[in-house]
Amino acid sequence: MPRAAGQPALPLTTDDGAPVVVRRSARRRRTVAAFWEDGNAVVAIPAHFTKAQESEWVRRMLDKLKRQGERGAHGAGRRRPASDTALAAHAAELSSKYLGGRSIPTSVRWVSNQKSRWGSATPADGTIRLSDRLQPMPQWVIDYVLLHELAHLLVAGHNAAFWRLLEAYPETQRAKAFLEGVAFATSRGLGPDEEGAGAPAAGWDADAD
């Protein structure tokens, strides 16, 4: 139904209902980026864009995020398992789908004290901890780290048997490359513009096409 004159615009959301946040930046001249941050789809555009340009580029970048999600195991548009309870439930789903349900952790939780690694597992007591630095990253990356730790409950080391457990997950190599890139950039003090912790999931040069 068309909106009546003077009626405020409805909040913009992705196809599956995630909020969309548009950020204008004076530091951007022609590049446009989109990424996930705290469950929101963030589209960063140059401050000088007109409303028409904003509308066009938001549409393009949301389409790009959606396509990237379709290549992933769970889709970039899926809401993050923000709570420990949701994370544990998601871990059970991944274990069932990729590990035959054989990896059964006693607890899975987000932690803020892991700065040098993305996740850790203790096979002796079945606990898994994921760094909260992962939360703004694409879901397929989070899933890889979670599966990695689930696999460690079955095989402690990084031997051939361990990596065979991860062969069923289609995004293993892409996620490893993504995290290596993040680690490389972080070690050199590089990162997104003013978006801070948001890990870019899609980028585009607005003058390129």
Side-chain angles (χ1 to χ4, degrees):
M1 176 183 295
R3 288 187 297 112
Q7 184 178 345
L10 295 174
L12 185 61
T13 62
T14 62
D15 288 347
D16 63 354
V20 176
V21 177
V22 179
R23 290 185 184 166
R24 288 177 172 264
S25 170
R27 295 173 60 184
R28 290 185 179 276
R29 294 294 180 264
R30 64 179 188 178
T31 59
V32 180
F35 52 91
W36 290 96
E37 182 180 88
D38 298 329
N40 299 320
V42 179
V43 180
I45 62 175
H48 64 78
F49 269 17
T50 65
K51 281 295 184 181
Q53 287 175 308
E54 173 183 322
S55 178
E56 171 64 16
W57 279 100
V58 166
R59 181 188 63 77
R60 289 195 191 190
M61 298 312 288
L62 292 181
D63 284 347
K64 190 172 181 69
L65 280 180
K66 182 178 180 181
R67 289 197 303 272
Q68 287 187 342
E70 289 170 349
R71 290 198 301 270
H74 291 278
R78 179 176 179 145
R79 288 182 182 275
R80 300 292 183 270
S83 69
D84 291 348
T85 300
L87 188 64
H90 189 52
E93 292 176 6
L94 292 175
S95 176
S96 176
K97 183 171 184 177
Y98 295 106
L99 300 173
R102 292 181 295 132
S103 181
I104 306 175
T106 57
S107 72
V108 186
R109 59 193 178 93
W110 294 107
V111 296
S112 58
N113 60 352
Q114 289 192 162
K115 303 302 182 184
S116 62
R117 52 186 174 177
W118 302 113
S120 60
T122 306
D125 61 13
T127 58
I128 290 176
R129 297 155 299 281
L130 260 59
S131 171
D132 59 5
R133 294 180 299 141
L134 287 165
Q135 288 181 333
M137 295 186 186
Q139 186 62 47
W140 48 269
V141 175
I142 298 173
D143 286 358
Y144 163 72
V145 177
L146 190 48
L147 272 169
H148 187 108
E149 302 310 330
L150 285 166
H152 272 314
L153 296 185
L154 302 175
V155 179
H158 289 100
N159 56 21
F162 171 83
W163 290 112
R164 280 197 296 271
L165 291 174
L166 295 178
E167 288 178 352
Y169 182 60
E171 301 300 327
T172 290
Q173 295 306 318
R174 190 160 74 114
K176 286 173 65 178
F178 181 99
L179 292 172
E180 287 169 1
V182 172
F184 179 87
T186 301
S187 69
R188 285 156 177 76
L190 306 175
D193 288 347
E194 70 289 340
E195 287 81 30
W204 209 274
D205 186 329
D207 291 342
D209 90 8

